[in-house]
Structures are given as C-alpha cells and as structure tokens.
C-alpha cells in the first residue's frame, strides 16, 4: 500500500480518486467487493501477481528490472544491454540539439500550471505537465516530437516566433489529453 500511495502522490491531482474508482468499479473489483484505497491496492497486487506469473511462464530470454529507485536512464541502459543494442553518447547530442527547447512553458488554458523542460542525466525531462508524473523523461522520436515515458502521450514542439509545446494523447482517467503551452 505504501508504493500505491507514493504513485498517487507523485502523479498528484485527482489521480488517487480516479485510480480508486477505476479499480473498485471495474468488473474485477466489483466481483471481489473491493472498496476504497485498500481495494485499489488489492487490485494492483492481484494484477502484479498475474503479470509475474505470466512472466515466469514465458519460455524465452527475459529480464526483470526492479525499478522502485526511479533511475529510468539506468534501467534503459540495462534494457539496451540485454537487447544487444549499442548505445550512443546521447548526452552531448541532447545538450547540442535540444538546448533551444529548455525553459518554462505557460499553458494557453487558464488554471493549468506552468511546466518546465530541462536536461537531467542526459535526458530531456518534463516537469509539471498535466496528467504526467513529475520529472518525466521525454523520449525523442524526431527533432521536435517526443514520447512521454510510461504514458501513451506525445509532446511536440512547434517552432515559430515563439516555441509552442503541445501535449496530446488518448483520454485517460483525468479526461482528454490536449494541452498547449508557449515558452516564456
């Protein structure tokens, strides 16, 4: 339950209420009489147990990575090594090519907080994006288009008189994902 609380706190907003509702009102949660935060945690524990059993049953080369420390770039290196993919010196590439994107961005929607784009340990990091964990890595797809790590969202930077940033993705627990920011 401690880890569930940590996740809800890290994501902020109405995440906890949305996760509780999704877990306890799901067919699985209803059939087992799950309620409240404890019910949500039980749902996630059961899900984890099923996923672990499926993983153990796989008859192929596989790797399990304990990720509670949040060292996402370190975990990425472990995965690249496991897959035999030779990495590159992306730290210098990020520093050289993406410096223009760094800074504070103001939302075009009133009431949505500002967010920041920074470089941390060679990764482009977004902090303060709605519905996204704090200090989340942006994974480059192209020079101006990024995947948001661990979510089906994309961040696109549009360059013109002023740099604009668009966060888009499918509707999730907190509603539609379509936010627009400009660099200040």
């Amino acid at each position: 339950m401690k880890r569930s609380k940590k996740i809800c706190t890290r994501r902020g907003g109405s995440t906890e209420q949305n996760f509780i509702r999704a877990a306890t009102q799901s067919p699985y949660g209803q059939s087992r009489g799950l309620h409240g935060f404890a019910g949500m945690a039980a749902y996630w524990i059961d899900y984890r147990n099923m996923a672990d059993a499926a993983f153990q049953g796989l008859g192929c080369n596989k790797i399990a990575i304990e990720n509670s420390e949040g060292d996402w770039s370190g975990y990425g290196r472990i995965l690249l090594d496991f897959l035999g993919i030779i990495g590159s010196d992306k730290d210098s590439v990020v520093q050289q090519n993406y410096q223009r994107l760094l800074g504070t961005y103001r939302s075009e929607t009133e009431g949505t907080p500002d967010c920041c784009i920074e470089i941390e340990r060679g990764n482009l990091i977004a902090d303060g994006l709605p519905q996204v964990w704090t200090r989340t890595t942006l994974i480059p797809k192209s020079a101006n288009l990024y995947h948001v790590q661990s979510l089906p969202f994309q961040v696109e930077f549009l360059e013109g008189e002023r740099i604009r940033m668009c966060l888009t993705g499918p509707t999730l627990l907190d509603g539609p994902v379509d936010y627009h920011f400009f660099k200040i």
Side-chain angles (χ1 to χ4, degrees), residues 9-60:
T9 300
R10 184 173 179 209
R11 289 199 177 176
S14 57
T15 298
E16 185 172 319
Q17 294 82 17
N18 291 332
F19 281 179
I20 290 170
R21 185 178 56 254
T24 60
Q25 292 180 9
S26 71
Y28 185 89
Q30 289 181 340
S31 71
R32 284 159 179 76
L34 302 180
H35 297 285
F37 190 88
M40 175 198 66
Y43 174 92
W44 284 358
I45 289 167
D46 290 351
Y47 178 87
R48 170 72 186 263
N49 289 337
M50 286 186 260
D52 285 349
F55 179 81
Q56 291 304 318
L58 288 173
C60 62

Side-chain angles (χ1 to χ4, degrees), residues 60-172:
C60 62
N61 290 336
K62 57 192 176 227
I63 184 172
I65 300 172
E66 198 290 319
N67 65 3
S68 63
E69 293 300 315
D71 180 13
W72 304 112
S73 38
Y75 308 142
R77 286 189 297 277
I78 292 168
L79 286 172
L80 290 174
D81 289 345
F82 175 76
L83 295 170
I85 298 172
I86 298 170
S88 64
D89 184 13
K90 77 175 177 181
D91 290 0
S92 62
V93 171
V94 169
Q95 291 287 352
Q96 292 171 10
N97 294 332
Y98 304 123
Q99 199 70 26
R100 71 193 186 290
L101 304 177
L102 305 181
T104 301
Y105 288 77
R106 177 140 307 136
S107 176
E108 294 178 1
T109 304
E110 192 172 316
T112 302
D114 294 349
C115 64
C116 295
I117 302 297
E118 304 169 352
I119 293 178
E120 181 178 278
R121 291 187 271 171
N123 295 303
L124 209 53
I125 301 292
D127 193 23
L129 287 175
Q131 300 192 38
V132 175
W133 288 38
T134 58
R135 309 207 56 75
T136 295
T137 300
L138 299 180
I139 302 166
K141 183 174 179 182
S142 66
N144 289 331
L145 186 63
Y146 297 80
H147 295 291
V148 175
Q149 186 172 42
S150 83
L151 289 168
F153 299 167
Q154 290 189 345
V155 170
E156 183 174 18
F157 294 94
L158 306 169
E159 298 189 60
E161 183 178 317
R162 159 192 297 193
I163 295 179
R164 292 184 67 234
M165 178 177 65
C166 303
L167 171 67
T168 57
T171 298
L172 295 181

